[in-house]
Amino acid sequence: MTSEQVTEAPEEGYERGLGSRQVQMIAIGGAIGVGLFLGAGANIAKAGPSLIVMYALAGLIIFFIMRALGELLLYRPVSGSFAEYSREFLGPFFGFFTGWTYWLMWVVTGMAELTAAAIYVHYWFPAIPQWVTALVFLVVLFVANLISVKVFGEIEFWFSMVKVTALIGMIVIGLGVLTFGFSAAGDTAAVSNLWEFDGFFPKGVGSSLMTLQGVMFAYLAVELVGVTAGESENPEKTLPKAINTLPWRIALFYVGALTVILCVVKWTEFAPGVSPFVKAFAVIGIPAGAGIVNFVVLTAALSSCNSGMYSTGRMLRTLSDNGEAPRIFSRLSSSKTPALGITISVAFMGIGVVLNYIVPEKAFGYVTSVATAAGIWTWLMILISHVLYRRGVESGRLRASSFPAPGGAKCSYVAIVFLLFVTCLIAYDADSRVCLYVMAGWAAALAIGWAVLKNRNPQVADREPQLEKVG
């Protein structure tokens, strides 16, 4: 790798404490969450076996997004990641908007996941009040994130290991049932279950497409590997490896797991609100199957909350460094963590725990849809930044990245169209449409905040994108 290929990563003051092993597992864990373990049940009921195609299609688009992000990360690996690229290629306002929107995404996700984790523990210990469990998890993860990035990475490594092991175990057991016919499901398990009950698209193509919004939520956080760029020991090696393994992770953990489950158990037996993994374990007849899956889903929720604390603190520091958040958020603790940014973010997540006592159960759906909308915005900014970066490279204004996306900007254009299509699906669906209203209100609030910021500090808005020239 030469200086002609990649812009040197700036020294941001963070400890580069995330090794290859941890970055790989963070990347894997980011692609396996509660959206798969729980959300897939409702989507199977809506789309039947065709949900497999929806996960594969969405997974392909996610790969396009991650390769675009990978090219940008190797051009300039910084902790602010997509907010920094939005600022560089689209202007200061877009960096401001993207940074705060990504912060919002993780805060609302943390609210939901923390309360969900308390509900999962309630399964085993119904006598313990849920608020107590939620508070304990909040404090433990908060302290872990303050200690050092190595502790965060190690916790995320083991959380991801649990999820990966559970999914591989489910696939192996399912293949055993299909091949050898053992267990209570042996007589009915067959590949033909994918098409025998009203076909592969039993509810029609339109109904299948409507599940894409839920499918995209399942992929949220896959971009988290980009936030680790400023703290990876060797981003030039670890980040490409993490991104290039994404296709097989999606093929195995999403497409593979769902295919096996739908072969073992016919799709008509799944219902909303019930994990397809719990159902599959029950049909196969594995002892304590529900308890095993409950533990795995608990791990997924805590993993998501842990990631939220990590990324919100880093994003607040990036905003602060650019004059778009209070300057005090720029400070690092003695352990080189953005302690104040993490603390403020955790305080907002804690408010969510309290609020969940007074809002209806449907609020969880609203929270996840808001997170999806915020995630779509983040992905769009990655893609648009990539398109503009490629134009800069082709015109000779910018250095080429050592990790170019296949097809150049063409795949980014395809992904942009796909995300806009999913946004239209969200607008069409009455239940999820509310998130667009929330995002409109959020956009208005940020626009007002930007106007105030410009008035107080005109230099923030006057900065031109720094497009480094070659030569």
Side-chain angles (χ1 to χ4, degrees):
M1 186 180 305
T2 69
S3 59
E4 294 293 326
Q5 293 175 301
V6 67
T7 301
E8 186 179 351
E11 185 54 55
E12 301 176 277
Y14 289 120
E15 176 189 9
R16 289 194 176 271
L18 293 177
S20 176
R21 170 180 65 93
Q22 293 166 325
V23 172
Q24 292 298 318
M25 269 300 176
I26 288 171
I28 291 173
I32 306 170
V34 176
L36 172 64
F37 287 117
L38 286 180
N43 287 327
I44 290 173
K46 290 179 184 176
S50 65
L51 183 65
I52 296 168
V53 174
M54 297 301 109
Y55 269 104
L57 176 60
L60 178 64
I61 298 301
I62 291 295
F63 179 62
F64 290 165
I65 294 169
M66 290 305 295
R67 280 306 302 255
L69 177 59
E71 183 167 357
L72 292 169
L73 286 171
L74 270 294
Y75 151 69
R76 192 162 68 92
V78 288
S79 186
S81 192
F82 16 86
E84 279 294 301
Y85 304 134
S86 300
R87 183 176 293 106
E88 178 174 348
F89 298 110
L90 290 159
F93 173 73
F94 287 92
F96 169 81
F97 195 103
T98 301
W100 279 109
T101 299
Y102 195 65
W103 178 85
L104 172 72
M105 184 192 94
W106 275 114
V107 166
V108 297
T109 300
M111 290 179 184
E113 302 287 22
L114 203 60
T115 306
I119 293 171
Y120 302 144
V121 170
H122 196 71
Y123 171 85
W124 292 299
F125 305 104
I128 300 178
Q130 288 182 18
W131 71 268
V132 173
T133 311
L135 184 61
V136 169
F137 285 144
L138 185 71
V139 171
V140 170
L141 292 178
F142 172 53
V143 172
N145 270 271
L146 289 185
I147 294 173
S148 75
V149 69
K150 288 183 178 179
V151 174
F152 157 79
E154 202 61 30
I155 290 175
E156 201 57 32
F157 174 85
W158 289 107
F159 278 163
S160 295
M161 186 67 78
V162 169
K163 294 185 284 188
V164 169
T165 302
L167 278 175
I168 292 176
M170 179 69 241
I171 292 170
V172 170
I173 292 169
L175 289 175
V177 172
L178 284 169
T179 305
F180 302 108
F182 63 79
S183 87
D187 294 335
T188 56
V191 176
S192 59
N193 283 341
L194 293 177
W195 59 81
E196 277 198 349
F197 301 93
D198 297 324
F200 192 72
F201 289 86
K203 301 290 185 72
V205 175
S207 184
S208 299
L209 290 174
M210 289 303 295
T211 64
L212 280 174
Q213 49 189 305
V215 169
M216 295 307 288
F217 173 73
Y219 285 122
L220 282 185
V222 71
E223 76 291 326
L224 182 67
V225 68
V227 185
T228 70
E231 292 168 276
S232 299
E233 287 178 354
N234 191 348
E236 290 80 9
K237 290 184 179 179
T238 57
L239 295 178
K241 186 177 179 182
I243 291 170
N244 278 336
T245 55
L246 186 65
W248 73 257
R249 283 186 269 126
I250 290 173
L252 178 65
F253 298 131
Y254 280 92
V255 179
L258 281 175
T259 301
V260 170
I261 284 176
L262 289 169
C263 288
V264 172
V265 184
K266 57 185 180 183
W267 75 268
T268 53
E269 295 188 28
F270 294 100
V274 178
S275 168
F277 293 87
V278 171
K279 180 67 178 178
F281 272 115
V283 172
I284 293 172
I286 296 176
I292 293 170
V293 175
N294 195 71
F295 173 73
V296 174
V297 175
L298 168 64
T299 302
L302 292 177
S303 172
S304 181
C305 193
N306 188 44
S307 297
M309 291 182 188
Y310 172 85
S311 58
T312 50
R314 272 71 184 171
M315 200 55 73
L316 281 181
R317 185 174 186 238
T318 297
L319 289 163
S320 177
D321 286 343
N322 286 282
E324 297 162 355
R327 182 59 60 186
I328 195 171
F329 288 133
S330 291
R331 296 178 185 173
L332 291 177
S333 67
S334 58
S335 58
K336 297 186 178 180
T337 61
L340 184 61
I342 295 172
T343 303
I344 294 298
S345 301
V346 167
F348 277 96
M349 292 180 191
I351 292 172
V353 175
V354 177
L355 289 177
N356 272 292
Y357 287 104
I358 56 176
V359 293
E361 198 173 306
K362 205 169 186 180
F364 276 103
Y366 295 154
V367 166
T368 56
S369 64
V370 169
T372 303
I376 287 174
W377 172 269
T378 300
W379 292 335
L380 281 171
M381 289 300 99
I382 292 171
L383 293 166
I384 294 171
S385 296
H386 179 248
V387 168
L388 295 176
Y389 166 71
R390 292 293 304 183
R391 288 180 184 174
V393 171
E394 289 165 6
S395 66
R397 290 184 294 111
L398 294 175
R399 299 179 188 275
S401 169
S402 61
F403 188 47
K410 295 183 182 68
C411 291
S412 289
Y413 281 118
V414 172
I416 289 170
V417 172
F418 180 86
L419 292 179
L420 292 176
F421 173 67
V422 173
T423 304
C424 291
L425 293 178
I426 292 173
Y428 181 77
D429 185 64
D431 287 336
S432 59
R433 190 184 304 147
V434 66
C435 77
L436 298 181
Y437 301 141
V438 172
M439 289 304 295
W442 175 250
L446 287 182
I448 294 170
W450 180 250
V452 172
L453 189 65
K454 278 201 306 181
N455 187 51
R456 290 182 177 178
N457 184 11
Q459 292 181 342
V460 172
D462 290 340
R463 286 177 302 173
E464 292 294 326
Q466 297 177 357
L467 301 180
E468 184 178 353
K469 294 186 179 180
V470 174

